[in-house]
């Protein structure tokens, strides 16, 4: 990787920062955040502005350019990558290190008195604006919204905003019609006494209307906003996508409907002016509900007294609790996904000893097997296919420069998943194609014990996921080991592979309680820099648990694994397992054999079936 | 309990709420919080203003009186008690129930437009003021500080503020001189670039100067503030306590000292004017450090731009990490405390079957045995001595109306502790003096498993206590059981039995990481309304743990029990314990036998020694 040469670009940016064509008054600093106007985790190429101006294309980072300086804040995952990708014009600000200043502190230290700091108000979330603005103001500076994105003005070959065709999902996939979702939403709005709800997150728009898209890689979403009133529905979306007869039919655009279900389609770019019109027409006590992470631009469109902001929207919370159609879809998707992985692992077992399988080849082969399955759409994230020391790089993605060949001497870690029309998968297995060392088995077994501790946990209704995080670490902690990431995240149903409002992490306390029907990942790991990485990940469904007693009638919950892929037995040191843990593994493998075996049989995949049968023999403690 | 008749008092209060003698403009509502000017958990009789005006004397509650209404907010622990103690003038606001309005919402619903709500600015913490003030302002009302406490103006027989003699602690108890504590504090101040630090919590003043008092029951503290500058020390304290030669000698008041260690003694009541003078003399960038829980009055004395507020002060954090002198003192205190409890339990075993021992008698007997021990000062909290259904009342304190007789048919729960000059204790044991039922044993054993899971936990340096809370619940959760309180709190060293900044609770996320030298309680429980209560509590010391590996060189921690009192074996269902748990109990009992046995022997308490030996026989799993 050679760094991107940014001298000329920075010169241009500094010019437009002073140009009356774009800014009312010159700005002495310009902030380029990572995100898009919807606070998406994955963004479209046209939104990769920070990567364009700096060369650094990791998933997290904020660039700030002043007349003299250019600085990039990113976290520990990306220190090396950012240093490689950026030229000498840039200073790397290593977040999380003691001596690294915050963006605010750094700005205050370098800016001349009474400076203006510009930012695109559509890209910065309202809560971040507030914090940054307050800090700057108390030091005598001003944070100002710059309407036109200054990067876009100098990005001559900026890709177009994608505008791909939509997929309509019928009731057999979604379980609930968009009309019923609107009714439920309006009842939540009535409960909170709000008159309007603004849908800004792309997966929330997609979920609400039972539509999917492919504007952003890995995430089946499309660029749109929606504004739901008690009697109106406005959908802000571009292109000729609304010309598609299937979409028109799905949204009943040409039917005579009760007025409160009539969807008004409007241009994507008109959201701000429409919302300002809504804001201007409000009477006292009329409120508009927005996510507190919505952009500053949209939040400001509603006068402060009329805003109702929450960290999680009612759609986010409703979307997280899967109904039976969604759950059944997720089950089907996971069965197909397991078939593909059984094929892959059987194939790897034969091919790896030949020395011809690289990380990229293995990742491609995984995609090939997945793509043979019914209703396959695309991958759900960039496959992490890593062997030996690359396995210790938690967010590794093989590229030609790092591509390593799998061998019988190294641990192989595969974290991968797909979007099927009936569900989203995300699974990690760690394998050895030769003979693992006693130490590797020991570490793997601690990780497995942590995985089981979460998966088999029984906990009261109302428990938040972060309270389960330590269960995943206890066996590692006992030996002085640990891993530096959370244990689980919410998973969408043919939607984003990471979604709120639930998760299992020591870091999050703002998560919503786990409820039956929620789906999260369970993925403890252990990583040894320069040597290997281990992670065992299943996607699990929250289900009611039967317990001997029932304190305060609260009821209990537990998890049911949706992922049904064998956990490699040669990596397990059986004697480190308790009898209960051993039984868990055997029950799990028995279920893999039954459910996936039947599907392999049905698909005529006999060799993979033999592999599955061998890999699901019961463990015996000695 | 008959309710307090408050008609006349409320009439008087409503008069002073309008009297120009006390308020600049009439206030339409007056708030009476629970606390004192130091945000203490336990308060002196002269500070029990809310109890005086309402009759309700629970530890938590806020009264608000308007021209028409009088309302009391309290939590679930006190619903019954408050309802019994208050007359019809009062409306009970049950906090935590869905339909109960917040204080702000209620005020807004009952106040006439443009009202003024008064509160004593010394009693309300700055963070609460801010929240309340914002809510009222946005509804068109004003929160106003009323200098003179309006309750005090009508409380004709208000007790005097206590002003008891001080105890000086020499280095053998404290390990660090007050001068060295000042030096360390100033270095923390220099790190954060603050020029002044205001000590507002009573236990922080006591700890800083190595002094103790007895102004507040159970807490060895005295009424005082301190303001520490880089070159000055001001101690605000009343009475002739500074005339005591031992205190003068201890604080070196009559010695020629470097000026930066010369303590200026000032009247307690002059803190506000002195702090205002400090505030007025500040230059830009000069900051004053305060707890964010300090009173509104003191916080406002410092102009906003000069304030540096933190949730935990540097003294709070330093005080939590006990040095070796303090740790050794705590060990000695716990040995003496265990001697007293062995005597008590041996005595109870003989006396309970006679049917003459009530909860109060047992509590008094426990105090009697403790008071026989060297350096005993007082109890560290009101003894919870509860049998049968009373055990399910988590904050129970026996009073004549509820006093129950211990019997061979009911579980007995004793949660008690003492202040010794060398340390503070807090221990809960749950006993049966007859034959416990299989169900009682089952529940007890789950609680024990939780207790052991925390006590034996190994976790990385930097772990916050709340991440350990679920370990205490896991065995109960597996059977659908739970308890509705936290698992542990910080414990002072001859100081408050509850102290920050660490603890073990699902509720607290603002706790500081556990560090070697910190001392917390480990006290899971199980409570069955109307039947029984179970709790097993040890005070434990955070110590470094030896582990097989050492990830990222972080080091690991675990706990060492300081409490050494046998856990009643007849309550344990051994077959529900794992071998590891069984070994833990046997090791613990072995240590009790050795350490406490030697002390019982030394004190010639032979009968109690025989009891201890019998109660510490090894458990055997069958």
């Amino acid at each position: 990787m050679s760094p991107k040469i940014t001298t000329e670009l920075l010169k241009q940016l500094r010019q437009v920062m002073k140009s009356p064509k774009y800014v009312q008054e010159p700005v002495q600093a310009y902030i380029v955040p990572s995100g898009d106007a919807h606070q998406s985790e994955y963004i479209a190429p046209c939104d990769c502005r920070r990567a364009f101006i700096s060369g650094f294309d990791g998933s997290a980072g904020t660039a700030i350019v002043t007349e003299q300086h250019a600085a990039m804040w990113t976290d520990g995952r990306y220190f090396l990558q950012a240093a490689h990708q950026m030229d000498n014009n840039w200073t790397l600000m290593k977040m999380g290190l003691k001596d690294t200043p915050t963006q605010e502190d750094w700005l205050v230290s370098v800016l001349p008195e009474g400076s203006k700091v510009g930012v695109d108000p559509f890209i910065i979330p309202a809560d971040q604006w507030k914090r940054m603005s307050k800090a700057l103001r108390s030091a005598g500076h001003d944070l100002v919204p710059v309407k036109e994105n200054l990067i876009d003005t100098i990005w001559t070959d900026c890709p177009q905003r994608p505008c791909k065709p939509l997929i309509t999902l019928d009731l057999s996939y979604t379980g609930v019609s968009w009309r019923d979702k609107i009714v439920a939403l309006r009842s939540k709005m009535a409960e909170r006494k709000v008159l309007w709800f603004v849908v800004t997150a792309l997966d929330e728009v997609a979920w609400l209307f039972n539509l999917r898209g492919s504007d952003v890689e890995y995430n089946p979403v499309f660029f749109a906003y929606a504004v739901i009133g008690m009697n109106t529905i406005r959908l802000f979306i571009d292109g000729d996508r609304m010309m598609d007869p299937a979409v028109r039919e799905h949204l009943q655009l040409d039917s005579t409907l009760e007025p409160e279900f009539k969807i008004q389609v409007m241009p994507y770019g008109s959201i701000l002016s429409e919302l300002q019109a809504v804001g201007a027409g409000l009477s006292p006590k009329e409120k508009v509900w927005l996510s507190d992470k919505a952009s500053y631009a949209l939040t400001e469109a509603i006068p402060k007294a009329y805003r109702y902001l929450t960290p999680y929207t009612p759609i986010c919370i409703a979307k997280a609790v899967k109904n039976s159609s969604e759950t059944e879809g997720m089950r089907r998707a996971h069965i197909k996904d397991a078939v593909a992985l059984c094929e892959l692992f059987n194939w790897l077992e034969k091919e790896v000893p030949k020395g011809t399988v690289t990380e990229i080849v293995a990742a491609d082969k995984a995609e090939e097997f997945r793509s043979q399955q019914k209703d396959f759409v695309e991958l759900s994230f960039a496959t992490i296919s890593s062997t030996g020391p690359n396995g210790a790089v938690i967010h590794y993605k093989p590229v030609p420069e790092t591509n390593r060949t799998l061998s019988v001497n190294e641990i192989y870690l595969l974290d991968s998943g797909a979007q099927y029309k009936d569900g989203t998968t995300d699974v990690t297995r760690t394998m050895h194609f030769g003979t693992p060392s006693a130490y590797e088995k020991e570490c793997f077994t601690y990780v497995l014990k942590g995985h089981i501790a979460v998966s088999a946990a029984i906990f009261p209704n109302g428990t938040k996921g972060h309270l389960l995080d330590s269960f995943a670490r206890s066996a590692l902690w006992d030996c002085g080991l640990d891993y530096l990431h959370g244990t689980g995240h919410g998973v969408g149903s043919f939607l984003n592979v990471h979604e709120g409002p639930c998760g299992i992490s020591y870091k999050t306390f703002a998560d919503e309680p786990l409820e039956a029907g929620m789906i999260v990942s369970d993925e403890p790991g252990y990583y040894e820099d320069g040597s290997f990485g281990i992670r065992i990940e299943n996607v699990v469904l929250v289900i009611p648990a039967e317990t001997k007693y029932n304190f305060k009638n609260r009821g209990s919950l537990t998890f049911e694994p949706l992922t049904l892929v064998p956990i490699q037995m040669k990596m397990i040191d059986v004697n480190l397992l308790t009898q209960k843990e051993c039984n868990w593994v055997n029950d799990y493998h028995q279920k893999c054999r039954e459910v996936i075996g039947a599907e392999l049989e049905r698909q005529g995949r006999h060799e993979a079936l033999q592999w599955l049968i061998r890999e699901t023999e019961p463990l015996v403690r000695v």
Side-chain angles (χ1 to χ4, degrees), chain A:
Chain A
M1 279 191 276
S2 55
K4 174 164 182 170
I5 305 303
T6 59
T7 310
E8 189 51 37
L9 284 177
L10 287 172
K11 201 173 134 195
Q12 290 172 14
L13 177 59
R14 285 169 179 141
Q15 271 161 5
V16 295
M17 282 164 59
K18 287 178 289 196
S19 159
K21 196 172 155 196
Y22 301 114
V23 289
Q24 283 189 310
E25 282 185 82
V27 297
Q28 282 70 44
Y30 188 66
I31 304 176
V32 187
S34 274
D36 65 10
H38 305 270
Q39 290 66 57
S40 306
E41 183 188 5
Y42 292 77
I43 56 178
C46 62
D47 286 319
C48 297
R49 299 179 180 97
R50 185 251 302 152
F52 167 75
I53 191 68
S54 69
F56 167 54
D57 67 0
S59 74
T62 298
I64 303 185
V65 176
T66 68
E67 284 167 69
Q68 307 288 337
H69 306 275
M72 175 69 68
W73 279 259
T74 190
D75 63 62
R77 291 174 294 169
Y78 293 117
F79 291 165
L80 270 179
Q81 180 181 333
H84 280 307
Q85 295 184 320
M86 298 193 306
D87 69 8
N88 287 337
N89 289 301
W90 289 86
T91 307
L92 178 57
M93 297 293 188
K94 298 181 174 182
M95 286 164 68
L97 300 197
K98 224 175 118 184
D99 295 332
T100 305
T102 63
Q103 293 163 26
E104 295 89 330
D105 286 347
W106 180 81
L107 277 168
V108 170
S109 73
V110 301
L111 287 177
E113 258 178 62
S115 287
K116 304 228 173 289
V117 177
V119 67
D120 181 342
F122 267 96
I123 306 299
I124 189 167
D127 55 349
Q128 274 178 40
W129 170 287
K130 198 174 162 186
R131 202 176 51 241
M132 172 75 76
S133 172
K134 196 176 159 188
L136 290 177
R137 203 165 44 236
S138 80
H141 308 293
D142 260 327
L143 185 64
V144 296
V146 179
K147 264 192 193 164
E148 191 140 3
N149 189 294
L150 296 186
I151 301 295
D152 293 357
T153 67
I154 61 169
W155 193 355
T156 47
D157 56 348
C158 174
Q160 282 241 305
R161 183 162 301 280
C163 200
K164 309 246 183 78
L166 302 184
I167 304 172
T168 61
L169 291 184
D170 65 34
L171 270 184
S172 69
Y173 291 104
T174 66
V176 181
S177 69
W178 63 260
R179 277 180 63 139
D180 286 346
K181 286 181 179 179
I182 295 273
V183 170
L185 173 62
R186 284 180 177 147
S187 112
K188 288 277 170 205
M189 288 162 60
E191 252 176 45
R192 309 288 183 104
K193 301 191 177 103
V194 302
L195 283 190
W196 300 90
F197 177 75
V198 186
V199 198
T200 56
L202 298 183
D203 63 335
E204 296 190 12
V205 180
W207 179 87
L208 182 62
F209 292 103
N210 291 334
L211 291 170
R212 298 293 186 270
S214 53
D215 289 355
V216 179
E217 198 179 9
Y218 306 126
N219 294 172
V221 297
F222 51 93
F223 285 102
Y225 292 101
V227 177
I228 312 300
M230 294 311 274
N231 298 301
T232 56
I233 304 172
R234 294 180 201 164
L235 178 61
F236 298 81
I237 186 167
D238 272 352
D240 49 11
R241 304 191 272 200
M242 290 295 127
M243 297 294 104
D244 179 342
V247 173
R248 295 196 75 80
E249 166 76 28
H250 175 83
L251 296 178
Q252 298 178 267
L253 294 181
D254 306 309
S255 319
T256 24
L257 275 176
E258 307 91 303
E260 68 266 33
F261 294 111
K262 191 86 197 156
I263 298 175
Q264 299 166 257
V265 178
M266 298 180 159
Y268 177 71
S270 68
I271 175 73
L272 183 60
S273 55
E274 287 294 329
L275 207 54
Q276 282 165 336
V278 165
L282 294 170
S283 317
K285 301 225 165 179
E286 292 186 353
K287 295 260 184 189
V288 179
W289 196 342
L290 287 141
S291 161
D292 66 2
K293 275 149 218 87
S295 69
Y296 175 73
L298 296 191
T299 307
E300 279 297 297
I302 305 301
K304 202 169 169 185
Y306 300 113
R307 285 176 215 157
Y308 180 71
L309 305 181
T310 56
Y312 298 112
T313 70
I315 296 188
C316 174
I317 292 170
K319 176 165 62 64
V321 183
K322 276 70 180 174
N323 60 44
S324 60
S325 305
E326 290 170 320
T327 309
E328 284 318 304
M330 286 293 269
R331 277 187 217 283
R332 286 196 305 275
H334 280 83
I335 291 170
K336 294 182 284 188
D337 211 58
V339 165
L341 285 189
C342 289
E343 282 281 15
L344 176 75
F345 292 137
N346 177 52
W347 181 84
L348 284 174
E349 240 179 51
K350 291 182 300 179
E351 299 298 319
V352 167
K354 299 180 187 163
T356 52
V357 182
T358 65
E359 292 166 341
I360 294 178
V361 166
D364 290 347
K365 198 75 190 170
E367 180 164 5
E368 183 191 323
F369 282 122
R370 283 192 163 104
S371 69
Q372 294 165 3
Q373 294 298 315
K374 186 173 168 238
D375 279 345
F376 171 85
V377 180
E378 61 173 333
L379 299 185
S380 56
F381 58 96
T383 299
I384 299 174
S385 169
S386 56
T387 186
N390 289 341
V393 182
I394 295 171
H395 288 85
Y396 180 78
K397 178 191 163 179
V399 290
E401 291 84 352
T402 62
N403 194 17
R404 201 173 167 91
T405 302
L406 277 64
S407 89
V408 295
N409 303 313
E410 288 183 344
I411 289 181
Y412 175 64
L413 184 159
L414 179 74
D415 185 352
S416 62
Q419 299 287 0
Y420 302 89
K421 219 176 140 183
D422 40 14
T424 303
T425 67
D426 180 1
V427 46
T428 309
R429 286 295 179 268
T430 304
M431 324 273 289
H432 203 293
F433 299 105
T435 306
S437 71
Y439 178 61
E440 289 167 337
K441 288 172 67 173
E442 183 186 359
C443 294
F444 183 93
T445 308
Y446 296 146
V447 173
L448 176 60
K449 286 167 84 80
H451 179 92
I452 297 170
V454 170
S455 196
I458 293 173
F459 48 91
N461 255 311
T463 302
K464 293 183 168 195
H466 70 259
L467 291 171
L468 309 179
D469 184 76
S470 298
F471 290 155
R473 298 175 200 275
S474 179
L476 287 161
W477 283 356
D478 277 345
C479 294
L481 303 180
D482 198 5
Y483 55 96
L484 302 182
H485 59 71
T487 302
H489 53 81
V491 179
S493 176
F494 184 29
L495 260 179
N496 297 357
V497 73
H498 294 163
E499 68 169 28
C502 56
I504 303 175
S505 172
Y506 61 101
K507 284 179 286 192
T508 319
F509 308 120
D511 51 336
E512 290 283 310
L514 293 169
E515 267 183 64
M518 286 182 167
I519 292 180
V520 295
S521 68
D522 170 14
E523 46 179 316
Y526 176 67
Y527 310 91
E528 200 143 298
D529 283 350
S531 303
F532 62 84
I534 292 167
R535 185 161 62 250
I536 303 173
E537 176 186 24
N538 281 351
V539 168
V540 296
L541 171 69
V542 182
I543 58 168
E546 294 297 320
T547 53
K548 188 169 175 187
Y549 306 112
N550 188 7
F551 180 64
K552 302 259 178 207
N553 247 324
R554 283 194 298 177
S556 293
L557 300 171
T558 187
F559 298 111
E560 177 199 330
L562 296 178
T563 306
L564 293 173
V565 177
I567 294 162
Q568 198 180 36
M569 279 187 294
K570 74 158 81 151
M571 287 294 291
I572 302 174
D573 181 343
V574 187
N575 298 312
L576 294 177
L577 296 183
T578 63
Q579 189 56 53
K580 233 172 133 181
E581 289 163 342
C582 200
N583 294 345
W584 186 94
V585 172
N586 289 339
D587 292 348
Y588 178 70
H589 278 162
Q590 179 62 25
K591 191 167 176 194
C592 291
R593 188 188 278 196
E594 282 171 20
V595 177
I596 309 306
E599 181 66 15
L600 284 166
E601 184 79 55
R602 207 187 59 74
Q603 295 193 17
R605 297 176 182 268
H606 300 296
E607 203 180 311
L609 178 57
Q610 289 316 307
W611 178 88
L612 173 69
I613 289 170
R614 198 198 70 212
E615 287 293 308
T616 52
E617 287 295 321
L619 283 177
V620 183
R621 279 172 85 219
V622 285

